[in-house]
Amino acid sequence: MRKLLAANWKENPKSEKEALALFRGIRNGNKGLRVSVVVCPPFVFLPKISDEFKKTKSNKNLLLGAQDVFWEESGPFTGEVGPAMLKSLGARYAIIGHSERRKWLHETDEMINKKVKLSLSDGLNVILCVGEPLEVRRKGNAAASAFIKNQLKKDLAGISGSSMGRGAMTIAYEPIWAIGTGKSDNPADAAHIIASIKKELKSKGLKKPIVLYGGSVTSRNVADFVQLDEIDGALVGGASLQAAEFKKMIKLVAKVSN
Ligand code: PGA
């Protein structure tokens, strides 16, 4: 299947000018290649980048995403942004439940579940992030899989294949200890855990679950991950902030995407 690379810019770059330069640097990177690319800039840069997207019409495998979304459509929720607002800018995806938001913003599984539900019913595709802390992984892959199964149970409560709405569901498996540390997971271990995630999703009626790996993915290791059948692509943080590096990754992924 076509593999997917998602760029999570996090709180970067500092100015609109730099954001535009970064986007322009990568926008044709997957043109003609069998790789889908989702670019997720900070909210404030979405309108400008959305305008740029319109100029990149010929590339339908380049998609715009947000790094978060709220669980209410509109109303007295200062600072929040709902799925319909994102869709009105042409965003097709929202990352939900990233471990940095779980940690710094104290996002709970209940909050994440509400965000996932509204997004799917509104037709916004979801990239739901799950992953275990180091103390769990030290106990082995089975402990990590059990931890994630519990996260999925809560984050996807009330959601099954038949109640998915119009949005598509993608999971990003991101072991917390591998994010931004330069210590990526062992691809075989990640594939093993992703297989257990897929099994869990299938039991919820999701016929063809898409699961990405995330955590210190760069041009040096991306092929090692995505060449494995279980791994449908990667969610990339730091390495997506340099256009040349990210384009190199797209090319490497295209080689194994069929
Ligand atoms: P990283 O971040 O690639 O910088 O490790 C990945 C992520 O947090 O999505």
Side-chain angles (χ1 to χ4, degrees), residues 41-96:
F43 282 140
V44 286
F45 302 140
L46 283 173
K48 264 274 181 326
I49 293 182
S50 164
D51 287 345
E52 290 289 306
F53 257 82
K54 288 172 195 146
K55 297 179 200 160
T56 319
K57 263 191 195 135
S58 57
N59 186 354
K60 60 179 189 334
N61 295 315
L62 180 68
L63 302 154
L64 186 61
Q67 296 174 20
D68 184 35
V69 63
F70 194 52
W71 63 75
E72 292 284 351
E73 210 65 89
S74 63
F77 306 103
T78 304
E80 296 301 334
V81 174
M85 294 174 182
L86 293 174
K87 284 184 69 189
S88 76
L89 285 177
R92 299 276 303 279
Y93 279 85
I95 297 173
I96 298 180

Side-chain angles (χ1 to χ4, degrees), residues 1-6 35 187 190-191 194 211-214 217-218 221-236 249-258:
M1 67 168 278
R2 184 188 295 269
K3 304 269 177 176
L4 188 152
L5 262 191
V35 184
I194 285 176
V211 185
L212 315 176
Y213 166 78
V217 180
T218 67
N221 58 18
V222 69
D224 300 339
F225 287 100
V226 297
Q227 75 187 359
L228 301 174
D229 282 346
E230 293 87 347
I231 306 182
D232 300 311
L235 179 55
V236 185
M249 293 171 78
I250 294 170
K251 288 205 177 80
L252 289 162
V253 175
K255 278 193 188 155
V256 297
S257 202
N258 48 46

Side-chain angles (χ1 to χ4, degrees), residues 8 10 98 100 129 174 178-182 214-217 235-239:
N8 176 10
K10 308 193 179 183
H98 192 283
E100 286 156 7
C129 300
E174 300 202 303
I179 297 175
T181 57
S216 297
V217 180
L235 179 55
V236 185

